[in-house]
Amino acid sequence: MTTIQYEIDINATVDKVYEYYTNPNNIKQAWPQDIVKESESLSGSKNEEGSEMKVKGEYIGRKDEMILQVTDREQNKRLVTEQKEGPFKLWKSRQEFEQKNGTTACIRHY
């Protein structure tokens, strides 16, 4: 199984970063643009446990789409999504959010 981990520091407060980053309509801009081409919410609620989103992209050189479901979240701290339908045997994404100081937020991707 392949695991990708990286960390990003953003010059903003953690509540603003969390709100932007976890909105399904912003995934296209927030996630790697060489992978994600389109995203949309499939649920009325955004980033709540059980909510779903469709993400179209290019995965391992092949265009495909995934249905992701939010399986765990804590406001301004954590968002976990898992593939419900899609091209992979298993796809789980975990983002952890942390305020490093008054003006910088950190996102860790697992």
Side-chain angles (χ1 to χ4, degrees):
M1 176 170 65
T2 301
T3 301
I4 299 171
Q5 297 180 348
Y6 61 96
E7 186 174 304
I8 300 170
D9 289 338
I10 299 173
N11 189 20
T13 59
V14 73
D15 58 327
K16 288 181 182 180
V17 171
Y18 184 89
E19 181 64 32
Y20 180 83
Y21 190 85
T22 61
N23 182 332
N25 298 323
N26 296 332
I27 289 174
K28 185 173 138 181
Q29 290 81 25
W31 289 18
Q33 294 179 357
D34 57 331
I35 297 173
V36 176
K37 306 300 182 193
E38 295 179 44
S39 60
E40 66 179 287
S41 176
L42 299 177
S43 305
S45 61
K46 296 179 182 176
N47 81 26
E48 297 297 325
E49 284 188 43
S51 64
E52 295 181 353
M53 63 192 92
K54 182 189 299 186
V55 179
K56 294 181 181 182
E58 192 168 321
Y59 313 104
I60 314 171
R62 189 175 122 202
K63 292 182 181 182
D64 214 326
E65 66 183 42
M66 289 191 287
I67 305 298
L68 300 177
Q69 184 176 45
V70 175
T71 56
D72 186 23
R73 71 175 287 278
E74 182 180 350
Q75 186 71 30
N76 298 336
K77 297 280 185 189
R78 175 182 64 255
L79 180 73
V80 180
T81 59
E82 294 185 37
Q83 175 187 269
K84 187 174 176 183
E85 297 176 27
F88 301 103
K89 186 174 184 178
L90 172 69
W91 176 284
K92 185 173 184 177
S93 178
R94 178 182 179 100
Q95 292 81 43
E96 294 179 352
F97 300 81
E98 176 186 358
Q99 190 72 47
K100 289 181 97 174
N101 59 43
T103 59
T104 304
C106 175
I107 305 172
R108 289 183 190 85
H109 301 268
Y110 304 93

